[in-house]
Amino acid sequence: MDETVGRRERKKAATREALHRAALRLAAEQGPDRVTVEAIADAADVSRRTFSNYFANKEEALFHPDTVRIRRLLALVHAQPLDEPPWVVLTRAAEQLARESDGFDPLWLAQRRLIRNHPSLAAHQITAYGTVEQEFTAEIARRLPDDPETPLRARVLAGTFLHALRAATRYWTDHQERPLVEVVRAALGYLTAR
């Protein structure tokens, strides 16, 4: 039974990855506005219905790895001890994720560079990051004292942390002279430098 479940999960992961790569390749070639869900499904050799079982729209397919990484980051933060300062916890989790993510496929990076500033994708990115920022805010708040300032402090920490990570990752995408973990460490360190 476990082997069947494992095989099924691997097949689902492979299909999800194939859909993401097809969406990214087509968006890089044609521009995100011209890409349709049908074209993505055809390029990944699956049905439109299969596409819908994995993603609600083409934007979700395009940003799938980002969603996976941010979920992983949230899990890493959640797993940290509650008695440590929030910024220490956030930094440690970010560095661990950066070490895990430091070997991106060069083709994937090139395609991402082509579409990252496309105006039609901005709304999806803002919505996705807004949702995750709320989750990080809640995670940080549970680590802070019960105090009237805690909601604001947690929100500022979450927003600052996520913005610094986005800036570091974007910078690293164009300047890969040093490992991602070093860039992330430097970016987060700037926020605590006196």
Side-chain angles (χ1 to χ4, degrees):
M1 181 76 163
D2 287 342
E3 186 177 317
T4 303
V5 171
R7 189 174 331 132
R8 189 177 315 128
E9 291 307 312
R10 285 191 303 274
K11 187 173 181 180
K12 284 181 180 180
T15 300
R16 193 172 279 114
E17 180 66 16
L19 287 165
H20 161 69
R21 288 201 174 261
L24 190 57
R25 182 178 52 76
L26 291 171
E29 290 171 0
Q30 303 171 13
D33 292 337
R34 293 189 176 150
V35 176
T36 64
V37 167
E38 290 77 12
I40 296 167
D42 288 347
D45 198 27
V46 299
S47 69
R48 167 69 168 87
R49 182 180 172 122
T50 298
F51 178 95
S52 297
N53 289 337
Y54 289 90
F55 299 111
N57 52 49
K58 66 184 178 185
E59 291 82 8
E60 276 189 18
L62 282 167
F63 291 103
H64 171 66
D66 296 35
T67 302
V68 169
R69 278 191 298 281
I70 206 75
R71 291 280 159 227
R72 172 73 177 137
L73 180 59
L74 191 56
L76 289 169
V77 170
H78 186 76
Q80 300 290 321
L82 281 172
D83 61 346
E84 294 190 350
W87 196 256
V88 170
V89 167
L90 293 169
T91 300
R92 185 183 304 130
E95 288 179 4
Q96 183 175 342
L97 182 68
R99 280 190 295 276
E100 293 173 6
S101 304
D102 212 2
F104 287 117
D105 172 9
L107 176 61
W108 182 84
L109 282 171
Q111 291 170 332
R112 274 307 288 269
R113 282 187 207 110
L114 288 173
I115 68 161
R116 73 173 167 206
N117 294 321
H118 202 279
S120 70
L121 299 176
H124 177 80
Q125 288 177 309
I126 290 167
T127 301
Y129 280 111
T131 300
V132 81
E133 186 174 318
Q134 290 176 2
E135 293 178 50
F136 273 91
T137 298
E139 178 61 31
I140 293 166
R142 81 183 188 98
R143 296 168 175 282
L144 293 172
D146 190 16
D147 173 303
E149 290 298 311
T150 290
L152 175 59
R153 184 175 174 205
R155 182 167 291 207
V156 168
L157 284 171
T160 302
F161 172 70
L162 291 171
H163 185 73
L165 287 184
R166 283 193 299 271
T169 304
R170 240 179 129 144
Y171 177 86
W172 178 81
T173 300
D174 292 329
H175 305 91
Q176 295 181 22
E177 299 82 28
R178 53 189 174 151
L180 177 59
V181 69
E182 288 182 19
V183 175
V184 165
R185 186 178 298 126
L188 294 175
Y190 296 145
L191 298 171
T192 57
R194 303 252 182 248

PDB file of all heavy atoms in Angstrom, residues 33-54:
ATOM      1  N   ASP A  33       0.531  36.913 -21.252  1.00  0.00           N
ATOM      2  CA  ASP A  33      -0.835  37.224 -21.680  1.00  0.00           C
ATOM      3  C   ASP A  33      -1.331  36.317 -22.795  1.00  0.00           C
ATOM      4  O   ASP A  33      -2.529  36.081 -22.925  1.00  0.00           O
ATOM      5  CB  ASP A  33      -0.932  38.677 -22.145  1.00  0.00           C
ATOM      6  CG  ASP A  33      -0.748  39.659 -21.007  1.00  0.00           C
ATOM      7  OD1 ASP A  33      -0.986  39.261 -19.844  1.00  0.00           O
ATOM      8  OD2 ASP A  33      -0.378  40.810 -21.275  1.00  0.00           O
ATOM      9  N   ARG A  34      -0.435  35.825 -23.603  1.00  0.00           N
ATOM     10  CA  ARG A  34      -0.832  34.996 -24.756  1.00  0.00           C
ATOM     11  C   ARG A  34      -0.977  33.517 -24.421  1.00  0.00           C
ATOM     12  O   ARG A  34      -1.516  32.758 -25.214  1.00  0.00           O
ATOM     13  CB  ARG A  34       0.192  35.156 -25.874  1.00  0.00           C
ATOM     14  CG  ARG A  34       0.174  36.545 -26.455  1.00  0.00           C
ATOM     15  CD  ARG A  34       1.022  36.594 -27.689  1.00  0.00           C
ATOM     16  NE  ARG A  34       0.925  37.903 -28.286  1.00  0.00           N
ATOM     17  CZ  ARG A  34       1.878  38.465 -28.968  1.00  0.00           C
ATOM     18  NH1 ARG A  34       3.014  37.825 -29.152  1.00  0.00           N
ATOM     19  NH2 ARG A  34       1.717  39.661 -29.483  1.00  0.00           N
ATOM     20  N   VAL A  35      -0.485  33.126 -23.271  1.00  0.00           N
ATOM     21  CA  VAL A  35      -0.517  31.713 -22.892  1.00  0.00           C
ATOM     22  C   VAL A  35      -1.892  31.364 -22.339  1.00  0.00           C
ATOM     23  O   VAL A  35      -2.450  32.109 -21.529  1.00  0.00           O
ATOM     24  CB  VAL A  35       0.562  31.404 -21.835  1.00  0.00           C
ATOM     25  CG1 VAL A  35       0.476  29.973 -21.372  1.00  0.00           C
ATOM     26  CG2 VAL A  35       1.938  31.700 -22.395  1.00  0.00           C
ATOM     27  N   THR A  36      -2.415  30.227 -22.782  1.00  0.00           N
ATOM     28  CA  THR A  36      -3.697  29.751 -22.273  1.00  0.00           C
ATOM     29  C   THR A  36      -3.491  28.471 -21.475  1.00  0.00           C
ATOM     30  O   THR A  36      -2.478  27.776 -21.632  1.00  0.00           O
ATOM     31  CB  THR A  36      -4.669  29.449 -23.428  1.00  0.00           C
ATOM     32  OG1 THR A  36      -4.127  28.372 -24.208  1.00  0.00           O
ATOM     33  CG2 THR A  36      -4.900  30.675 -24.305  1.00  0.00           C
ATOM     34  N   VAL A  37      -4.463  28.173 -20.655  1.00  0.00           N
ATOM     35  CA  VAL A  37      -4.433  26.928 -19.895  1.00  0.00           C
ATOM     36  C   VAL A  37      -4.420  25.738 -20.851  1.00  0.00           C
ATOM     37  O   VAL A  37      -3.712  24.755 -20.633  1.00  0.00           O
ATOM     38  CB  VAL A  37      -5.641  26.861 -18.926  1.00  0.00           C
ATOM     39  CG1 VAL A  37      -5.827  25.473 -18.356  1.00  0.00           C
ATOM     40  CG2 VAL A  37      -5.468  27.891 -17.820  1.00  0.00           C
ATOM     41  N   GLU A  38      -5.169  25.837 -21.928  1.00  0.00           N
ATOM     42  CA  GLU A  38      -5.210  24.760 -22.914  1.00  0.00           C
ATOM     43  C   GLU A  38      -3.832  24.518 -23.525  1.00  0.00           C
ATOM     44  O   GLU A  38      -3.409  23.376 -23.702  1.00  0.00           O
ATOM     45  CB  GLU A  38      -6.226  25.079 -24.028  1.00  0.00           C
ATOM     46  CG  GLU A  38      -7.668  25.038 -23.581  1.00  0.00           C
ATOM     47  CD  GLU A  38      -8.127  26.265 -22.779  1.00  0.00           C
ATOM     48  OE1 GLU A  38      -7.405  27.295 -22.742  1.00  0.00           O
ATOM     49  OE2 GLU A  38      -9.201  26.165 -22.162  1.00  0.00           O
ATOM     50  N   ALA A  39      -3.126  25.596 -23.844  1.00  0.00           N
ATOM     51  CA  ALA A  39      -1.789  25.462 -24.423  1.00  0.00           C
ATOM     52  C   ALA A  39      -0.823  24.827 -23.419  1.00  0.00           C
ATOM     53  O   ALA A  39       0.014  23.991 -23.798  1.00  0.00           O
ATOM     54  CB  ALA A  39      -1.269  26.833 -24.864  1.00  0.00           C
ATOM     55  N   ILE A  40      -0.953  25.200 -22.163  1.00  0.00           N
ATOM     56  CA  ILE A  40      -0.100  24.606 -21.129  1.00  0.00           C
ATOM     57  C   ILE A  40      -0.384  23.115 -21.007  1.00  0.00           C
ATOM     58  O   ILE A  40       0.538  22.290 -20.968  1.00  0.00           O
ATOM     59  CB  ILE A  40      -0.299  25.309 -19.769  1.00  0.00           C
ATOM     60  CG1 ILE A  40       0.154  26.775 -19.856  1.00  0.00           C
ATOM     61  CG2 ILE A  40       0.453  24.580 -18.661  1.00  0.00           C
ATOM     62  CD1 ILE A  40      -0.284  27.631 -18.677  1.00  0.00           C
ATOM     63  N   ALA A  41      -1.659  22.774 -20.951  1.00  0.00           N
ATOM     64  CA  ALA A  41      -2.036  21.358 -20.845  1.00  0.00           C
ATOM     65  C   ALA A  41      -1.515  20.574 -22.045  1.00  0.00           C
ATOM     66  O   ALA A  41      -0.951  19.477 -21.886  1.00  0.00           O
ATOM     67  CB  ALA A  41      -3.551  21.229 -20.730  1.00  0.00           C
ATOM     68  N   ASP A  42      -1.681  21.126 -23.248  1.00  0.00           N
ATOM     69  CA  ASP A  42      -1.180  20.447 -24.458  1.00  0.00           C
ATOM     70  C   ASP A  42       0.335  20.264 -24.394  1.00  0.00           C
ATOM     71  O   ASP A  42       0.854  19.194 -24.708  1.00  0.00           O
ATOM     72  CB  ASP A  42      -1.542  21.239 -25.716  1.00  0.00           C
ATOM     73  CG  ASP A  42      -3.025  21.175 -26.055  1.00  0.00           C
ATOM     74  OD1 ASP A  42      -3.746  20.324 -25.474  1.00  0.00           O
ATOM     75  OD2 ASP A  42      -3.467  21.995 -26.881  1.00  0.00           O
ATOM     76  N   ALA A  43       1.038  21.317 -23.987  1.00  0.00           N
ATOM     77  CA  ALA A  43       2.506  21.243 -23.931  1.00  0.00           C
ATOM     78  C   ALA A  43       2.985  20.219 -22.902  1.00  0.00           C
ATOM     79  O   ALA A  43       4.044  19.616 -23.080  1.00  0.00           O
ATOM     80  CB  ALA A  43       3.089  22.617 -23.611  1.00  0.00           C
ATOM     81  N   ALA A  44       2.197  20.017 -21.849  1.00  0.00           N
ATOM     82  CA  ALA A  44       2.560  19.034 -20.829  1.00  0.00           C
ATOM     83  C   ALA A  44       1.959  17.657 -21.128  1.00  0.00           C
ATOM     84  O   ALA A  44       2.149  16.719 -20.352  1.00  0.00           O
ATOM     85  CB  ALA A  44       2.092  19.509 -19.457  1.00  0.00           C
ATOM     86  N   ASP A  45       1.235  17.573 -22.248  1.00  0.00           N
ATOM     87  CA  ASP A  45       0.612  16.321 -22.687  1.00  0.00           C
ATOM     88  C   ASP A  45      -0.384  15.764 -21.665  1.00  0.00           C
ATOM     89  O   ASP A  45      -0.374  14.574 -21.343  1.00  0.00           O
ATOM     90  CB  ASP A  45       1.684  15.276 -23.024  1.00  0.00           C
ATOM     91  CG  ASP A  45       1.132  14.142 -23.889  1.00  0.00           C
ATOM     92  OD1 ASP A  45       0.144  14.394 -24.629  1.00  0.00           O
ATOM     93  OD2 ASP A  45       1.655  13.023 -23.809  1.00  0.00           O
ATOM     94  N   VAL A  46      -1.220  16.690 -21.150  1.00  0.00           N
ATOM     95  CA  VAL A  46      -2.312  16.291 -20.263  1.00  0.00           C
ATOM     96  C   VAL A  46      -3.589  16.999 -20.721  1.00  0.00           C
ATOM     97  O   VAL A  46      -3.545  17.914 -21.535  1.00  0.00           O
ATOM     98  CB  VAL A  46      -2.025  16.643 -18.781  1.00  0.00           C
ATOM     99  CG1 VAL A  46      -0.777  15.934 -18.275  1.00  0.00           C
ATOM    100  CG2 VAL A  46      -1.927  18.143 -18.568  1.00  0.00           C
ATOM    101  N   SER A  47      -4.716  16.591 -20.169  1.00  0.00           N
ATOM    102  CA  SER A  47      -5.989  17.222 -20.523  1.00  0.00           C
ATOM    103  C   SER A  47      -6.190  18.523 -19.752  1.00  0.00           C
ATOM    104  O   SER A  47      -5.527  18.771 -18.736  1.00  0.00           O
ATOM    105  CB  SER A  47      -7.145  16.275 -20.210  1.00  0.00           C
ATOM    106  OG  SER A  47      -7.281  16.128 -18.810  1.00  0.00           O
ATOM    107  N   ARG A  48      -7.121  19.329 -20.226  1.00  0.00           N
ATOM    108  CA  ARG A  48      -7.488  20.580 -19.535  1.00  0.00           C
ATOM    109  C   ARG A  48      -8.002  20.246 -18.133  1.00  0.00           C
ATOM    110  O   ARG A  48      -7.731  20.941 -17.167  1.00  0.00           O
ATOM    111  CB  ARG A  48      -8.545  21.313 -20.372  1.00  0.00           C
ATOM    112  CG  ARG A  48      -9.259  22.453 -19.672  1.00  0.00           C
ATOM    113  CD  ARG A  48      -8.296  23.611 -19.438  1.00  0.00           C
ATOM    114  NE  ARG A  48      -8.968  24.808 -19.028  1.00  0.00           N
ATOM    115  CZ  ARG A  48      -9.279  25.119 -17.769  1.00  0.00           C
ATOM    116  NH1 ARG A  48      -9.020  24.301 -16.798  1.00  0.00           N
ATOM    117  NH2 ARG A  48      -9.857  26.253 -17.480  1.00  0.00           N
ATOM    118  N   ARG A  49      -8.739  19.168 -18.039  1.00  0.00           N
ATOM    119  CA  ARG A  49      -9.282  18.729 -16.744  1.00  0.00           C
ATOM    120  C   ARG A  49      -8.132  18.368 -15.776  1.00  0.00           C
ATOM    121  O   ARG A  49      -8.174  18.697 -14.601  1.00  0.00           O
ATOM    122  CB  ARG A  49     -10.211  17.545 -16.950  1.00  0.00           C
ATOM    123  CG  ARG A  49     -10.850  17.070 -15.691  1.00  0.00           C
ATOM    124  CD  ARG A  49     -11.759  15.890 -15.979  1.00  0.00           C
ATOM    125  NE  ARG A  49     -12.216  15.315 -14.754  1.00  0.00           N
ATOM    126  CZ  ARG A  49     -13.473  15.187 -14.417  1.00  0.00           C
ATOM    127  NH1 ARG A  49     -14.411  15.587 -15.238  1.00  0.00           N
ATOM    128  NH2 ARG A  49     -13.804  14.638 -13.274  1.00  0.00           N
ATOM    129  N   THR A  50      -7.119  17.685 -16.299  1.00  0.00           N
ATOM    130  CA  THR A  50      -5.970  17.344 -15.458  1.00  0.00           C
ATOM    131  C   THR A  50      -5.288  18.611 -14.971  1.00  0.00           C
ATOM    132  O   THR A  50      -4.928  18.714 -13.793  1.00  0.00           O
ATOM    133  CB  THR A  50      -4.977  16.451 -16.221  1.00  0.00           C
ATOM    134  OG1 THR A  50      -5.640  15.234 -16.564  1.00  0.00           O
ATOM    135  CG2 THR A  50      -3.746  16.143 -15.389  1.00  0.00           C
ATOM    136  N   PHE A  51      -5.124  19.594 -15.857  1.00  0.00           N
ATOM    137  CA  PHE A  51      -4.550  20.873 -15.439  1.00  0.00           C
ATOM    138  C   PHE A  51      -5.335  21.426 -14.252  1.00  0.00           C
ATOM    139  O   PHE A  51      -4.765  21.853 -13.242  1.00  0.00           O
ATOM    140  CB  PHE A  51      -4.561  21.887 -16.584  1.00  0.00           C
ATOM    141  CG  PHE A  51      -4.018  23.233 -16.178  1.00  0.00           C
ATOM    142  CD1 PHE A  51      -2.694  23.558 -16.391  1.00  0.00           C
ATOM    143  CD2 PHE A  51      -4.837  24.175 -15.547  1.00  0.00           C
ATOM    144  CE1 PHE A  51      -2.189  24.786 -15.994  1.00  0.00           C
ATOM    145  CE2 PHE A  51      -4.334  25.401 -15.138  1.00  0.00           C
ATOM    146  CZ  PHE A  51      -3.011  25.710 -15.365  1.00  0.00           C
ATOM    147  N   SER A  52      -6.666  21.421 -14.369  1.00  0.00           N
ATOM    148  CA  SER A  52      -7.527  21.983 -13.321  1.00  0.00           C
ATOM    149  C   SER A  52      -7.451  21.206 -12.009  1.00  0.00           C
ATOM    150  O   SER A  52      -7.768  21.752 -10.953  1.00  0.00           O
ATOM    151  CB  SER A  52      -8.976  22.028 -13.803  1.00  0.00           C
ATOM    152  OG  SER A  52      -9.074  22.884 -14.912  1.00  0.00           O
ATOM    153  N   ASN A  53      -7.056  19.946 -12.068  1.00  0.00           N
ATOM    154  CA  ASN A  53      -6.865  19.180 -10.834  1.00  0.00           C
ATOM    155  C   ASN A  53      -5.635  19.649 -10.061  1.00  0.00           C
ATOM    156  O   ASN A  53      -5.518  19.390  -8.863  1.00  0.00           O
ATOM    157  CB  ASN A  53      -6.714  17.685 -11.142  1.00  0.00           C
ATOM    158  CG  ASN A  53      -8.008  17.057 -11.603  1.00  0.00           C
ATOM    159  OD1 ASN A  53      -9.094  17.554 -11.320  1.00  0.00           O
ATOM    160  ND2 ASN A  53      -7.907  15.975 -12.343  1.00  0.00           N
ATOM    161  N   TYR A  54      -4.710  20.319 -10.747  1.00  0.00           N
ATOM    162  CA  TYR A  54      -3.460  20.748 -10.129  1.00  0.00           C
ATOM    163  C   TYR A  54      -3.401  22.244  -9.850  1.00  0.00           C
ATOM    164  O   TYR A  54      -2.834  22.657  -8.837  1.00  0.00           O
ATOM    165  CB  TYR A  54      -2.278  20.341 -11.009  1.00  0.00           C
ATOM    166  CG  TYR A  54      -2.047  18.852 -11.009  1.00  0.00           C
ATOM    167  CD1 TYR A  54      -2.675  18.030 -11.930  1.00  0.00           C
ATOM    168  CD2 TYR A  54      -1.228  18.266 -10.062  1.00  0.00           C
ATOM    169  CE1 TYR A  54      -2.486  16.656 -11.922  1.00  0.00           C
ATOM    170  CE2 TYR A  54      -1.031  16.888 -10.032  1.00  0.00           C
ATOM    171  CZ  TYR A  54      -1.666  16.093 -10.967  1.00  0.00           C
ATOM    172  OH  TYR A  54      -1.483  14.734 -10.938  1.00  0.00           O
TER     173      TYR A  54
END
